Structure formats: C-alpha cells, structure tokens
Amino acid sequence: MKIVGKKTGEHLAAGQSEDKRAEAELIRLCIAGERSAQERFYRTYCRPVAANLYRVLGDRNDLDDLVQEVFVIAFRGLPKFRQEARLSTWLYRICVNVALGRIRTKTRRPPPILKADPVEGDVRVSPESPQTLLEREESKARVYRLLEQISPKKRLVLYLHEIEGRDLKDIACLVGANPVTVRTRLFYGRKEFYKLLAEDDS
Amino acid sequence: MSLLQGKHLAGDELADLSRGRLGKAKAARARAHLGDCERCLQSEQRVLAGLEVMAELPKQEAPDLAWDHIGARVYWGTSSERRARERTSSTSGRRVRLGFFGLGAAAVVGSAVFWGLGTRVESSGAEIAVQSAPGPALDEGSAVAVPTSKPDAVVGAVVFAQGVVRARGQAAEQEFDLQVPVVAGAEFTTGTGRLVIQFGSSSAFRIAPNSTLSIDRFDSERIALRIVGQVDVDITRRLPGQEFAVVAGHHEVQVRGTAFRVDYSGGELGVLCIRGKVVVSDGDHGVHVPAGQRFEILQGLQDATLRALPIDAAALDALGRAMKMPMLAQWQPEGGIVASTAILEIESAADLGIAVDGDYIADGAFRLRASTGDHEVALVDRDGGIARGRVLHAGAGKRTQARLVLPSKPSLAGRALRKRQLTVAVANSPRTDRCLARLSKQGLLSGAYLSLEVGINKDGTQSYLNLLDSNLSPAIQACLRDVVDAQHLPKGSAASFRLRLSY
C-alpha cells in the first residue's frame, strides 16, 4: 500500500508539474501576442471567471462588462505575473478585486432577480417543483439582498469565509490585506449579517 | 443581545451553534435558552434557512453570456500592433479586415470585431465592414486644417507655476516667464513641476509633471491641445460654436463642456471624466465618456464595442479634489490680464502646504498669478488646519515674494526622545505581551497596529491619550491603550505626538 501511495503521489506531482509547464507555456505565448494562445486562455477561463463574479455579486447585470474588465486586467498584467501561484488563483484574485470595485460603485437597485439559465436542446428534468425552485431563487435573492447591506470590504470577506469557506490567510492574500484586518472585518461582518438574517422575516 | 450577556442569542451565535462552532458550555446554554425563548427559536429558523441557501451558493454555474462578443471586446482592449497594421494596410481607409474569434458573426456585425481561429479572415476572401462614425482622421504630427476665415485668437495666461517647467524657445538656464501671454503655437514641457494656464472665465488646464503640451489651435473656433503626459481640463463655458479638443496620439478627446483628465503616455490613453461629457475619437469611432466614468486604451485603439467604465466613488471624490485649479476670478479676454495682475512668489519652510485667501494652493514653493490688492497667505498644517498667515500686497504687473516659516514648536529632539521613551516602556511591559498573547498564538500578529495620539507633561505624566486607528479587535485595542495609559515617563520636556505601535 505504501508503494502504491508513493507512486500515486509521484504520479500526481508529475501531473501537476506538467500542468504548470503547460500553463507557463500558455502565458509565454500570450505575452508574445500569439492569438491562438490568447484565445485559448480566454476560452479556458471565461466561464470560471464569470461564475466567480456571479457568485460574489449574485447579479448578472453588467456581468459581461466585468468579465471583460477581468480579462483586460489579466492580459495587461500577464508580463508581471511571477507564476508563484496558479494562474487560476491569480485570476480569482483579479475577480475579487473587480467584484469589490463593482460593489463599491454599484448604485442602489431593486433586489436582483436570479433567473435560471435558459436551457437549449434537452430539457433538464428537475425533481423539484416550479414552486420549490422559485422559493429557492427567492431565498438566494434574500441572502444577496442582506449582503448588500454590509459595507463592501466586510461583505467580500464575509462571502469568502462564510460562503466559500476560505481561511483567513487565504482571504488576506486575495483581498490584499493582512490577516488581522481580515479577521476584524469578518468579526463585524458576521455580527451584522447574521443579525440581519435572524431579524429578516421577508 | 448575546446569551453571554444574559439576553437573547445573537445572529452569529445562532449560526455558530448550528455549525457546531460554539464551545460545549456555550452550546448547552444556548440550547437551554432556545427551549424557553420563542423569539430566539424563530431567529434560529431564519438563520438555518439562510445557511442552507448559503451552502448552495458556491455551486452556482456561470450564466450564459455572449462569450464571443466579450472576447472581441477584450481583444480590442488589449491589442495594439494589429490595429496599427490594419491602419496602414487599409485600402479604402475605413474597411477593416479582422479576424480572431470567428464565431457568432451575425450577432455583432456592424459593432463588433472578431477573434478568428488563428486564420485571418482576409485569407479566405471574406471581409467584415465596421461601421464608422464620422470624425476627423488624426495622425500624430499632422497639420491642423486651416479655416477659411480667420477666427479671433484666444490669449491665455499662466496663473500657476511650480518646479521645473519650460516653454519652447526658453534657454535651459533661463527662468520660466509667467508674463509671456499664452497663444497658439506655444509648447510647454514640465519636469518635476506643473503649470496652470487659464484661458477664460473659470476655464483652465493644468499640465502635470513630466508632460509636454503644445497648443495647435487657440482661437474662437477651436482650441486644440496636443498632450504627451497628463493634462487636467476644467471648462465652464466656451464661446458659441467653439470646439475644444485634446489630441493624444491617434485619439482626440472632444469636449462637451466639462472637467476631465487625459493621460497619454507610452502609447496608452486614459480619459477620466469628472463633470459633463467627453467623446474619445480615433477618427473612426467615438466613445462617449459621461461624468464619473473612465475610458482606457492600452497600447491600441478603441472600437465601438469598448465602453466607458465607472470610476469608483472614493477615486472620483479624490479626483474631484485634485482637479481643483487656482484661477483668477476676473478675466479679460483680450490678453490684458498679464499686465493687470500680479505674481506672488511664495515659499514655505519644509515644503509645507500654502493657502492663499483661505484656499489651499500647493506645497513648497510656487508662483501664482493674483489680482491686485491684499492677499492673505498662510501655512496649512498636516492636519489640514490653516495657521495664522500674513498679508501680502500685490501691485499690477509686479512680483511680490514671501517665505513662510512655522511658528516655533517643541524641539523635535525632545519629542523624538519622549516618543522613544514611551515606545520602549510599552514594549517592555509584560502586560503588552498578555494583550497580544492570543493573537500571537494564532499567528495573526504580523501586520497588527494601533495608532495613538499622546500628550506628555514635563513631569512625565500623560496629559491626554486618544486612540486614532487600529486593525485590532476592540478588546485588544482597549488592553493596549490601558498599557500605554499606565506608563509614567521620567521628567523632561513636554511633548505631543502620534505613536504607532506596529507588530
């Protein structure tokens, strides 16, 4: 068992280093202005980037603009990317910062209406009734509506910790603050958010 | 509102209870309370429902977006060489052959361009025509069109100069002359300095450091400034039919009556609109940038698919303050302003800020054009307060000089000594370690800080102690504050200072 484990570990390590090499090559080609590489980069990460932004903001309004902003920043910053972290982690950090900017500038709007994605072709069969689905969407909208009442920095930290389950050091790295600051933001953010949640009877 | 304080359960305690994050004793007390309290039971139901939803949020997939369209916009926002190549190879001038993402063409024809799949569209003989908005074709260094009838010349005046600035034709060792009227053809280069040129009532532009601005046109029909570097423009009113534009490389920023900043360097253009509206045009397309928005072109040219993006509120506020320029309240359009006003040459000790007639102007040394008469000149301290100043009398066409020095204060040596004494005393106190023990144990101490404002009397006691800022929790802040408060220093000079305890 021990040998198998070791082999598996080596195999995994080899796979990871292969991924890193491919990633480094992709970055190199993108910086060199290779169009197919840039396209590959965009195609690989556009959906994860959009999903990250969507989850943080809970709002699909202007999502295309934000995705564009993330990639413009990414392409601009690629030559400075030192590859100490994975490309996906680096992109996630950009997403977080773009989302934070969006939260800060966002004017008050009616609560977001989260619509299910349009389904083309095969109709997905859901075991849940339309009524259940609607209630679920309303519950999500309620959570995001309450999150909107928290200040942007606290909201982001709260989201990353309470919803994504990231630890303080990870969050500190993502938002560019030290862990103590993050902890303080989280402390007050949790107090505010759960107070709202406990008192919200909508 | 906490159980620990003998009242109802707080929302975060309910969340911790349901996630099993409360200690055994606290959890037992919380459950006992829930058994008796209807209100907390209802709150718990709401929190549980919320937590259930929150657990699902990370599983949400991305909504379906127009990926090709976004890809095209990204590409156009970052590409440079391709557009430049197309510009030179374009035969009809306005038909652009494009290729990259060759998908979803029908959806975006007329406004978007595509990233093709590695093959340029022209190789297959296909072409996509991009609709063009009418506008002047601009090239760096191109001659300015000569109007048929000669319009009236506009004459401006330098109203503020600071640091190293030069006008075209000025010898290196020669001092920059504020008395020379500003007319078409003038060119200004700033080193470390900056210049403000007023050209009308409440209208002026400021050239930032390390920039070159030349005035291509300066008349009643058109004002055209060519910039390499950064220029801030504040226009309150234009003459009827007068155009105002800032030319930056291949782009022209056309003004609709506004305050804005143009930053053009290294082939990259940034336009930030604070008030009113501007249009950024490359001769083919025009992008409207309304108030509170920015537009950037990174090593490339814009397309109709690129949009202006909002500036965040804090940055907009800071920009609004930075855009404030010193201007003369009374303006004479015929150029008589230079002879009828005075120049104040003011310098502050230690590069402190200076206010003239109650308005902050700049730090350090500068020259300012002012109306004739008395002006109150004062130092601005680092907290923004205006210290008592002095009155300068300015005569028409004359230079009036002043040097401002802060009134004497306790010696820095004495203050530094007191600060060091207190820092050492706090660091050596065993209570400090106790305050920070928990944080240190969790490995979260690095980066923590506490800023205080302290006053020390001659006998070493503290006259006041204010907490300014910290990223520590309120309990640790209070603990450290008590440690500082307990310190009694030896006799010495009285001093007040800010103390930052960093870890």
Side-chain angles (χ1 to χ4, degrees), chain B residues 130-188:
Chain B
V130 176
Q131 285 182 349
S132 303
L138 294 164
D139 285 300
E140 220 157 359
S142 65
V144 177
V146 180
T148 48
S149 61
K150 201 175 176 183
D152 295 333
V154 168
V155 179
V158 177
V159 292
F160 173 86
Q162 184 179 34
V164 178
V165 289
R166 287 183 64 191
R168 182 155 58 192
Q170 175 195 329
E173 68 280 2
Q174 206 178 346
E175 189 192 37
F176 179 79
D177 189 356
L178 273 73
Q179 295 299 81
V180 176
V182 177
V183 294
E187 182 177 289
F188 303 95

Short mmCIF file of all heavy atoms in Angstrom, two decimals, chain B residues 130-188:
data_model
loop_
_atom_site.label_atom_id
_atom_site.label_comp_id
_atom_site.label_asym_id
_atom_site.label_seq_id
_atom_site.Cartn_x
_atom_site.Cartn_y
_atom_site.Cartn_z
N VAL B 130 -16.69 47.47 -40.66
CA VAL B 130 -17.05 48.05 -39.38
C VAL B 130 -17.65 49.43 -39.64
O VAL B 130 -17.05 50.25 -40.31
CB VAL B 130 -15.80 48.17 -38.49
CG1 VAL B 130 -16.14 48.89 -37.19
CG2 VAL B 130 -15.25 46.80 -38.20
N GLN B 131 -18.84 49.64 -39.14
CA GLN B 131 -19.48 50.93 -39.34
C GLN B 131 -18.66 52.02 -38.68
O GLN B 131 -18.18 51.88 -37.58
CB GLN B 131 -20.88 50.92 -38.71
CG GLN B 131 -21.85 50.13 -39.56
CD GLN B 131 -23.22 50.16 -38.95
OE1 GLN B 131 -23.42 50.58 -37.83
NE2 GLN B 131 -24.18 49.69 -39.71
N SER B 132 -18.52 53.09 -39.38
CA SER B 132 -17.69 54.17 -38.87
C SER B 132 -18.53 55.39 -38.59
O SER B 132 -19.39 55.76 -39.37
CB SER B 132 -16.63 54.55 -39.90
OG SER B 132 -15.88 53.42 -40.22
N ALA B 133 -18.23 55.99 -37.44
CA ALA B 133 -18.85 57.27 -37.15
C ALA B 133 -18.01 58.35 -37.79
O ALA B 133 -16.79 58.23 -37.83
CB ALA B 133 -18.90 57.47 -35.65
N PRO B 134 -18.63 59.39 -38.37
CA PRO B 134 -17.82 60.42 -39.00
C PRO B 134 -16.94 61.12 -37.97
O PRO B 134 -17.34 61.35 -36.85
CB PRO B 134 -18.86 61.38 -39.57
CG PRO B 134 -20.09 61.12 -38.79
CD PRO B 134 -20.05 59.70 -38.39
N GLY B 135 -15.74 61.42 -38.35
CA GLY B 135 -14.84 62.11 -37.44
C GLY B 135 -13.54 62.35 -38.15
O GLY B 135 -13.26 61.72 -39.16
N PRO B 136 -12.75 63.27 -37.67
CA PRO B 136 -11.50 63.60 -38.35
C PRO B 136 -10.49 62.47 -38.20
O PRO B 136 -10.41 61.85 -37.15
CB PRO B 136 -11.03 64.85 -37.62
CG PRO B 136 -11.64 64.76 -36.25
CD PRO B 136 -12.93 64.03 -36.44
N ALA B 137 -9.76 62.18 -39.29
CA ALA B 137 -8.69 61.20 -39.19
C ALA B 137 -7.48 61.90 -38.62
O ALA B 137 -7.05 62.93 -39.11
CB ALA B 137 -8.37 60.66 -40.58
N LEU B 138 -6.95 61.37 -37.56
CA LEU B 138 -5.88 62.06 -36.87
C LEU B 138 -4.60 61.26 -36.90
O LEU B 138 -4.61 60.07 -36.70
CB LEU B 138 -6.28 62.30 -35.41
CG LEU B 138 -7.44 63.25 -35.22
CD1 LEU B 138 -8.00 63.11 -33.83
CD2 LEU B 138 -6.97 64.67 -35.45
N ASP B 139 -3.54 61.94 -37.15
CA ASP B 139 -2.25 61.30 -37.08
C ASP B 139 -1.32 62.20 -36.29
O ASP B 139 -1.41 63.42 -36.36
CB ASP B 139 -1.67 61.08 -38.47
CG ASP B 139 -2.37 59.93 -39.17
OD1 ASP B 139 -2.34 58.81 -38.63
OD2 ASP B 139 -2.98 60.18 -40.22
N GLU B 140 -0.44 61.56 -35.56
CA GLU B 140 0.47 62.35 -34.74
C GLU B 140 1.30 63.24 -35.65
O GLU B 140 1.86 62.77 -36.63
CB GLU B 140 1.39 61.40 -33.94
CG GLU B 140 1.61 61.90 -32.56
CD GLU B 140 2.01 60.78 -31.63
OE1 GLU B 140 2.09 59.63 -32.08
OE2 GLU B 140 2.22 61.08 -30.47
N GLY B 141 1.38 64.48 -35.33
CA GLY B 141 2.20 65.38 -36.10
C GLY B 141 1.52 65.91 -37.35
O GLY B 141 2.10 66.65 -38.13
N SER B 142 0.25 65.54 -37.58
CA SER B 142 -0.42 66.01 -38.79
C SER B 142 -0.71 67.49 -38.69
O SER B 142 -0.89 68.04 -37.62
CB SER B 142 -1.71 65.23 -38.98
OG SER B 142 -2.59 65.54 -37.94
N ALA B 143 -0.77 68.15 -39.83
CA ALA B 143 -1.02 69.58 -39.86
C ALA B 143 -2.47 69.84 -39.48
O ALA B 143 -3.36 69.05 -39.78
CB ALA B 143 -0.74 70.11 -41.25
N VAL B 144 -2.69 70.93 -38.82
CA VAL B 144 -4.05 71.28 -38.43
C VAL B 144 -4.72 71.99 -39.61
O VAL B 144 -4.12 72.80 -40.29
CB VAL B 144 -4.00 72.21 -37.19
CG1 VAL B 144 -5.39 72.66 -36.81
CG2 VAL B 144 -3.31 71.52 -36.06
N ALA B 145 -5.98 71.62 -39.88
CA ALA B 145 -6.70 72.21 -41.01
C ALA B 145 -6.81 73.72 -40.85
O ALA B 145 -7.07 74.23 -39.76
CB ALA B 145 -8.09 71.60 -41.07
N VAL B 146 -6.59 74.45 -41.92
CA VAL B 146 -6.65 75.91 -41.87
C VAL B 146 -8.07 76.34 -42.18
O VAL B 146 -8.63 75.97 -43.20
CB VAL B 146 -5.68 76.51 -42.91
CG1 VAL B 146 -5.73 78.03 -42.86
CG2 VAL B 146 -4.27 76.02 -42.65
N PRO B 147 -8.69 77.09 -41.30
CA PRO B 147 -10.05 77.53 -41.57
C PRO B 147 -10.09 78.58 -42.68
O PRO B 147 -9.09 79.25 -42.93
CB PRO B 147 -10.49 78.13 -40.23
CG PRO B 147 -9.23 78.51 -39.54
CD PRO B 147 -8.17 77.59 -40.04
N THR B 148 -11.24 78.70 -43.32
CA THR B 148 -11.34 79.63 -44.45
C THR B 148 -11.33 81.10 -43.99
O THR B 148 -10.69 81.93 -44.60
CB THR B 148 -12.62 79.35 -45.25
OG1 THR B 148 -13.69 79.26 -44.32
CG2 THR B 148 -12.51 78.06 -46.02
N SER B 149 -12.04 81.44 -42.92
CA SER B 149 -11.97 82.81 -42.43
C SER B 149 -11.22 82.80 -41.11
O SER B 149 -11.29 81.84 -40.35
CB SER B 149 -13.39 83.35 -42.21
OG SER B 149 -14.04 82.55 -41.25
N LYS B 150 -10.48 83.87 -40.86
CA LYS B 150 -9.60 83.85 -39.70
C LYS B 150 -10.38 84.13 -38.42
O LYS B 150 -10.96 85.20 -38.27
CB LYS B 150 -8.51 84.90 -39.90
CG LYS B 150 -7.31 84.64 -39.05
CD LYS B 150 -6.20 85.63 -39.35
CE LYS B 150 -5.03 85.40 -38.41
NZ LYS B 150 -3.99 86.38 -38.61
N PRO B 151 -10.42 83.19 -37.52
CA PRO B 151 -11.13 83.42 -36.27
C PRO B 151 -10.30 84.28 -35.30
O PRO B 151 -9.11 84.44 -35.49
CB PRO B 151 -11.31 82.00 -35.72
CG PRO B 151 -10.19 81.24 -36.30
CD PRO B 151 -9.81 81.87 -37.60
N ASP B 152 -10.97 84.77 -34.24
CA ASP B 152 -10.27 85.59 -33.25
C ASP B 152 -9.37 84.71 -32.40
O ASP B 152 -9.77 83.62 -31.98
CB ASP B 152 -11.29 86.28 -32.33
CG ASP B 152 -12.15 87.27 -33.11
OD1 ASP B 152 -11.66 87.78 -34.13
OD2 ASP B 152 -13.30 87.49 -32.70
N ALA B 153 -8.17 85.22 -32.16
CA ALA B 153 -7.23 84.44 -31.34
C ALA B 153 -7.64 84.50 -29.87
O ALA B 153 -8.19 85.50 -29.41
CB ALA B 153 -5.82 85.01 -31.50
N VAL B 154 -7.37 83.41 -29.18
CA VAL B 154 -7.58 83.37 -27.73
C VAL B 154 -6.22 83.59 -27.08
O VAL B 154 -5.21 83.06 -27.55
CB VAL B 154 -8.17 82.00 -27.31
CG1 VAL B 154 -8.14 81.84 -25.80
CG2 VAL B 154 -9.59 81.86 -27.83
N VAL B 155 -6.19 84.38 -26.04
CA VAL B 155 -4.93 84.60 -25.33
C VAL B 155 -5.11 84.11 -23.88
O VAL B 155 -6.05 84.52 -23.20
CB VAL B 155 -4.54 86.09 -25.33
CG1 VAL B 155 -3.23 86.30 -24.56
CG2 VAL B 155 -4.40 86.60 -26.76
N GLY B 156 -4.22 83.23 -23.47
CA GLY B 156 -4.30 82.72 -22.11
C GLY B 156 -3.18 83.28 -21.25
O GLY B 156 -2.31 83.99 -21.74
N ALA B 157 -3.21 82.96 -19.99
CA ALA B 157 -2.17 83.41 -19.07
C ALA B 157 -1.80 82.28 -18.12
O ALA B 157 -2.67 81.53 -17.68
CB ALA B 157 -2.66 84.61 -18.27
N VAL B 158 -0.50 82.18 -17.84
CA VAL B 158 -0.07 81.19 -16.85
C VAL B 158 -0.45 81.76 -15.48
O VAL B 158 -0.05 82.86 -15.11
CB VAL B 158 1.46 80.96 -16.92
CG1 VAL B 158 1.90 79.99 -15.83
CG2 VAL B 158 1.85 80.44 -18.29
N VAL B 159 -1.28 81.03 -14.74
CA VAL B 159 -1.71 81.54 -13.44
C VAL B 159 -1.02 80.81 -12.28
O VAL B 159 -1.13 81.24 -11.14
CB VAL B 159 -3.25 81.45 -13.27
CG1 VAL B 159 -3.95 82.41 -14.21
CG2 VAL B 159 -3.74 80.03 -13.45
N PHE B 160 -0.34 79.73 -12.60
CA PHE B 160 0.35 79.00 -11.53
C PHE B 160 1.52 78.24 -12.14
O PHE B 160 1.38 77.61 -13.19
CB PHE B 160 -0.62 78.01 -10.87
CG PHE B 160 0.02 77.09 -9.87
CD1 PHE B 160 0.17 77.47 -8.56
CD2 PHE B 160 0.46 75.82 -10.25
CE1 PHE B 160 0.76 76.62 -7.63
CE2 PHE B 160 1.05 74.97 -9.33
CZ PHE B 160 1.20 75.37 -8.00
N ALA B 161 2.66 78.34 -11.51
CA ALA B 161 3.83 77.58 -11.96
C ALA B 161 4.59 77.09 -10.75
O ALA B 161 4.76 77.82 -9.77
CB ALA B 161 4.73 78.47 -12.81
N GLN B 162 5.01 75.84 -10.83
CA GLN B 162 5.75 75.26 -9.71
C GLN B 162 6.80 74.30 -10.25
O GLN B 162 6.53 73.55 -11.20
CB GLN B 162 4.80 74.49 -8.79
CG GLN B 162 5.47 73.94 -7.55
CD GLN B 162 4.49 73.20 -6.65
OE1 GLN B 162 3.56 72.57 -7.14
NE2 GLN B 162 4.68 73.29 -5.35
N GLY B 163 7.97 74.34 -9.64
CA GLY B 163 9.03 73.39 -10.01
C GLY B 163 9.60 73.65 -11.38
O GLY B 163 9.52 74.77 -11.92
N VAL B 164 10.18 72.63 -11.98
CA VAL B 164 10.87 72.78 -13.26
C VAL B 164 9.86 72.74 -14.41
O VAL B 164 9.22 71.72 -14.67
CB VAL B 164 11.92 71.66 -13.44
CG1 VAL B 164 12.61 71.78 -14.79
CG2 VAL B 164 12.94 71.70 -12.31
N VAL B 165 9.69 73.87 -15.08
CA VAL B 165 8.81 73.96 -16.25
C VAL B 165 9.52 74.81 -17.31
O VAL B 165 10.27 75.71 -16.97
CB VAL B 165 7.44 74.60 -15.91
CG1 VAL B 165 6.60 73.66 -15.08
CG2 VAL B 165 7.59 75.91 -15.17
N ARG B 166 9.25 74.48 -18.56
CA ARG B 166 9.91 75.23 -19.63
C ARG B 166 8.94 75.49 -20.76
O ARG B 166 8.07 74.68 -21.04
CB ARG B 166 11.10 74.45 -20.19
CG ARG B 166 12.29 74.41 -19.26
CD ARG B 166 13.45 73.69 -19.90
NE ARG B 166 13.93 74.40 -21.07
CZ ARG B 166 14.79 73.88 -21.93
NH1 ARG B 166 15.25 72.67 -21.77
NH2 ARG B 166 15.18 74.58 -22.97
N ALA B 167 9.15 76.64 -21.40
CA ALA B 167 8.37 76.94 -22.61
C ALA B 167 9.30 76.75 -23.80
O ALA B 167 10.53 76.81 -23.66
CB ALA B 167 7.89 78.38 -22.55
N ARG B 168 8.70 76.49 -24.98
CA ARG B 168 9.53 76.30 -26.17
C ARG B 168 10.33 77.58 -26.44
O ARG B 168 9.78 78.68 -26.39
CB ARG B 168 8.64 75.97 -27.38
CG ARG B 168 9.48 75.70 -28.63
CD ARG B 168 8.77 74.84 -29.61
NE ARG B 168 7.50 75.42 -30.05
CZ ARG B 168 6.59 74.75 -30.74
NH1 ARG B 168 6.80 73.49 -31.05
NH2 ARG B 168 5.48 75.31 -31.11
N GLY B 169 11.57 77.42 -26.71
CA GLY B 169 12.42 78.57 -27.02
C GLY B 169 13.12 79.14 -25.80
O GLY B 169 13.97 80.01 -25.92
N GLN B 170 12.77 78.62 -24.64
CA GLN B 170 13.39 79.15 -23.42
C GLN B 170 14.74 78.46 -23.19
O GLN B 170 14.82 77.24 -23.28
CB GLN B 170 12.44 78.89 -22.24
CG GLN B 170 12.99 79.26 -20.90
CD GLN B 170 12.15 78.64 -19.77
OE1 GLN B 170 10.95 78.46 -19.91
NE2 GLN B 170 12.81 78.32 -18.67
N ALA B 171 15.77 79.26 -22.90
CA ALA B 171 17.09 78.67 -22.66
C ALA B 171 17.06 77.89 -21.36
O ALA B 171 16.28 78.20 -20.46
CB ALA B 171 18.14 79.79 -22.57
N ALA B 172 17.92 76.89 -21.28
CA ALA B 172 17.91 75.97 -20.12
C ALA B 172 18.11 76.71 -18.80
O ALA B 172 17.50 76.40 -17.80
CB ALA B 172 18.97 74.90 -20.30
N GLU B 173 19.02 77.71 -18.83
CA GLU B 173 19.34 78.39 -17.57
C GLU B 173 18.34 79.52 -17.26
O GLU B 173 18.36 80.09 -16.18
CB GLU B 173 20.79 78.95 -17.62
CG GLU B 173 21.02 80.07 -18.60
CD GLU B 173 21.20 79.60 -20.04
OE1 GLU B 173 21.10 78.38 -20.30
OE2 GLU B 173 21.42 80.45 -20.90
N GLN B 174 17.48 79.82 -18.24
CA GLN B 174 16.55 80.93 -18.09
C GLN B 174 15.37 80.54 -17.20
O GLN B 174 14.89 79.41 -17.26
CB GLN B 174 16.03 81.28 -19.49
CG GLN B 174 15.58 82.71 -19.64
CD GLN B 174 15.13 82.97 -21.08
OE1 GLN B 174 15.40 82.17 -21.98
NE2 GLN B 174 14.44 84.06 -21.29
N GLU B 175 14.88 81.49 -16.41
CA GLU B 175 13.72 81.22 -15.56
C GLU B 175 12.44 81.27 -16.39
O GLU B 175 12.32 82.09 -17.31
CB GLU B 175 13.65 82.26 -14.44
CG GLU B 175 12.61 81.93 -13.40
CD GLU B 175 12.35 83.12 -12.46
OE1 GLU B 175 12.35 84.28 -12.92
OE2 GLU B 175 12.13 82.87 -11.29
N PHE B 176 11.51 80.41 -16.09
CA PHE B 176 10.24 80.41 -16.81
C PHE B 176 9.52 81.73 -16.55
O PHE B 176 9.37 82.17 -15.42
CB PHE B 176 9.38 79.23 -16.33
CG PHE B 176 8.04 79.17 -17.01
CD1 PHE B 176 7.93 78.65 -18.29
CD2 PHE B 176 6.90 79.63 -16.38
CE1 PHE B 176 6.70 78.60 -18.92
CE2 PHE B 176 5.67 79.58 -17.00
CZ PHE B 176 5.57 79.06 -18.27
N ASP B 177 9.08 82.37 -17.64
CA ASP B 177 8.49 83.70 -17.53
C ASP B 177 6.96 83.62 -17.56
O ASP B 177 6.36 83.27 -18.57
CB ASP B 177 9.00 84.57 -18.70
CG ASP B 177 8.60 86.03 -18.52
OD1 ASP B 177 7.89 86.34 -17.54
OD2 ASP B 177 9.02 86.85 -19.36
N LEU B 178 6.35 83.98 -16.45
CA LEU B 178 4.88 83.93 -16.37
C LEU B 178 4.22 85.10 -17.11
O LEU B 178 3.02 85.07 -17.36
CB LEU B 178 4.41 83.98 -14.91
CG LEU B 178 4.31 82.65 -14.17
CD1 LEU B 178 5.66 82.11 -13.83
CD2 LEU B 178 3.49 82.81 -12.91
N GLN B 179 5.02 86.11 -17.44
CA GLN B 179 4.43 87.30 -18.04
C GLN B 179 4.23 87.16 -19.56
O GLN B 179 3.65 88.04 -20.18
CB GLN B 179 5.31 88.53 -17.76
CG GLN B 179 5.38 88.89 -16.28
CD GLN B 179 4.02 89.24 -15.68
OE1 GLN B 179 3.24 88.35 -15.33
NE2 GLN B 179 3.70 90.52 -15.59
N VAL B 180 4.70 86.08 -20.14
CA VAL B 180 4.51 85.88 -21.58
C VAL B 180 3.10 85.34 -21.83
O VAL B 180 2.73 84.30 -21.29
CB VAL B 180 5.56 84.89 -22.15
CG1 VAL B 180 5.31 84.62 -23.63
CG2 VAL B 180 6.96 85.43 -21.93
N PRO B 181 2.29 86.05 -22.62
CA PRO B 181 0.93 85.55 -22.89
C PRO B 181 0.97 84.20 -23.61
O PRO B 181 1.90 83.90 -24.36
CB PRO B 181 0.33 86.64 -23.79
CG PRO B 181 1.20 87.83 -23.63
CD PRO B 181 2.55 87.32 -23.30
N VAL B 182 -0.03 83.40 -23.37
CA VAL B 182 -0.09 82.06 -23.98
C VAL B 182 -0.95 82.14 -25.24
O VAL B 182 -2.13 82.52 -25.19
CB VAL B 182 -0.69 81.04 -22.99
CG1 VAL B 182 -0.82 79.67 -23.63
CG2 VAL B 182 0.18 80.96 -21.74
N VAL B 183 -0.34 81.78 -26.36
CA VAL B 183 -1.04 81.86 -27.65
C VAL B 183 -0.84 80.55 -28.43
O VAL B 183 -0.07 79.69 -28.00
CB VAL B 183 -0.52 83.06 -28.49
CG1 VAL B 183 -0.87 84.38 -27.83
CG2 VAL B 183 0.99 82.94 -28.69
N ALA B 184 -1.50 80.46 -29.59
CA ALA B 184 -1.36 79.26 -30.43
C ALA B 184 0.11 79.06 -30.80
O ALA B 184 0.83 80.02 -31.05
CB ALA B 184 -2.20 79.42 -31.68
N GLY B 185 0.54 77.81 -30.83
CA GLY B 185 1.92 77.50 -31.18
C GLY B 185 2.81 77.35 -29.96
O GLY B 185 3.93 76.86 -30.06
N ALA B 186 2.31 77.78 -28.81
CA ALA B 186 3.13 77.66 -27.60
C ALA B 186 3.28 76.19 -27.21
O ALA B 186 2.41 75.37 -27.52
CB ALA B 186 2.49 78.43 -26.45
N GLU B 187 4.40 75.88 -26.60
CA GLU B 187 4.62 74.50 -26.14
C GLU B 187 5.27 74.55 -24.76
O GLU B 187 6.17 75.34 -24.53
CB GLU B 187 5.53 73.75 -27.10
CG GLU B 187 5.74 72.29 -26.69
CD GLU B 187 6.59 71.53 -27.70
OE1 GLU B 187 6.09 71.27 -28.81
OE2 GLU B 187 7.74 71.23 -27.35
N PHE B 188 4.77 73.73 -23.87
CA PHE B 188 5.29 73.71 -22.51
C PHE B 188 5.72 72.30 -22.14
O PHE B 188 5.02 71.32 -22.46
CB PHE B 188 4.21 74.17 -21.52
CG PHE B 188 3.68 75.55 -21.83
CD1 PHE B 188 2.52 75.71 -22.57
CD2 PHE B 188 4.35 76.68 -21.40
CE1 PHE B 188 2.04 76.96 -22.88
CE2 PHE B 188 3.87 77.95 -21.71
CZ PHE B 188 2.71 78.09 -22.44
#
